[in-house]
Amino acid sequence: RAKGDGGNKYQFYANSMSLDALDSLRMEGALRRALERDEFRLYYQPQVDIATGAVIGVEALLRWQPQLGPMIAPDDFIPLAEQTGLIVPIGDWVLATACAQQKSWRDAGLPPLTVSVNLSARQFQHRDLVGLVARLVRDTGCDASSLALEITETAVMENPQAAVAIFRQLSKMGVRLAIDDFGTGYSSLAYLKRFPIDSLKIDRSFVRDITDDTDDAAIVHSVIALAHSMKLKVVAEGVEDARQLQFLREHGCDQMQGYYISKPVPPAGIESLLQNR
Ligand code: C2E
Ligand code: MG
Ligand code: MG
Ligand code: MG
């Protein structure tokens, strides 16, 4: 007990701490069971080529649909999955499911789509990611060059040397690599030059006020110019209206995704979107 603290205050603090601990313990158990019960789903958000308007890819986004209750968004369970290490088996499921989906869309005769999968830092450091991806590509029959892995700038910077080595091997297999949430971390484009990456995804927070905030506009403008000078494609996240799209088009941004085109949808939603375009 801290000096001078009243007994009641300590009591209150201790109780709220153990409640938090109990909550995460319960949640951890629920997450574990979710895998066994097959309660995870992948939703897909279309990615559009700004110049042509064609849907050229989709980003796989994880959802948790418990047997009872509403669907749970990744921000509400991925942090705990990362802390507990459960993100590794969950991430394996995500990769396998996304690869199988890509193959099945290809078999169904849909136009070729690059399927992007988010990786957490933990998956990246944890085990033989390269071997896992190679196995999955072989087992599902998906096309490695239509598979993209997204890793945040922050996760890359946790261990840049390891990241370079892993990126090189993945890139050799033909897998595309994207830096996610670019602009929210501390890397510089000059530094990223040593990574064999294909694209940068500009974080949604910069796109939001692009048409009103001159700082954000300047940042996005210069990120696009610098990325292009390094032969990287630029993808804008979180495009919600025509004016944002207009700005991005005028500044030569390559691709975009956002509610303006579509929210993330189940696989059937992607199929009907492609048929209706
Ligand atoms: P992210 O990879 O940066 O994904 C983009 C997020 O922005 C998605 O949220 C997407 O639904 C949302 N978004 C897209 N367009 C718009 C828009 O126009 N407006 C707004 N307000 N939001 C938009 P979501 O699906 O909730 O995912 C949140 C984050 O969770 C992802 O951010 C990613 O970091 C993480 N995540 C999702 N799926 C996975 C996964 O399978 N594995 C791992 N490790 N992380 C994942
Ligand atoms: Mg992403
Ligand atoms: Mg992002
Ligand atoms: Mg994000």
Side-chain angles (χ1 to χ4, degrees), residues 73-147:
D75 288 335
D76 293 332
F77 65 88
I78 284 184
L80 185 73
E82 279 170 346
Q83 277 167 42
T84 55
L86 279 169
I87 193 64
V88 173
I90 294 173
D92 288 359
W93 179 88
V94 170
L95 263 172
T97 306
C99 288
Q101 184 64 69
Q102 190 233 80
K103 162 81 167 137
S104 107
W105 277 331
R106 208 153 47 97
D107 288 350
L110 258 66
L113 290 174
T114 296
V115 177
S116 294
V117 173
N118 292 285
L119 289 187
S120 79
R122 195 73 182 254
Q123 285 172 278
F124 208 60
Q125 297 152 359
H126 192 262
R127 59 153 91 150
D128 183 22
L129 176 69
V130 177
L132 173 73
V133 172
R135 245 184 344 270
L136 279 175
V137 166
R138 200 189 52 219
D139 293 352
T140 62
C142 82
D143 172 22
S145 62
S146 301
L147 174 67

Side-chain angles (χ1 to χ4, degrees), residues 133-167:
V133 172
R135 245 184 344 270
L136 279 175
V137 166
R138 200 189 52 219
D139 293 352
T140 62
C142 82
D143 172 22
S145 62
S146 301
L147 174 67
L149 300 177
E150 297 188 0
I151 179 143
T152 63
E153 192 187 357
T154 317
V156 169
M157 297 316 276
E158 272 179 32
N159 191 345
Q161 279 89 350
V164 172
I166 295 168
F167 280 3

Side-chain angles (χ1 to χ4, degrees), residues 1 45 60 69 108 119 127 168 180 212 236 256 258 276:
R1 184 198 297 190
Q45 185 177 41
L119 289 187
R127 59 153 91 150
R168 288 218 175 102
D180 204 352
D212 309 313
M256 62 111 166
N276 295 332

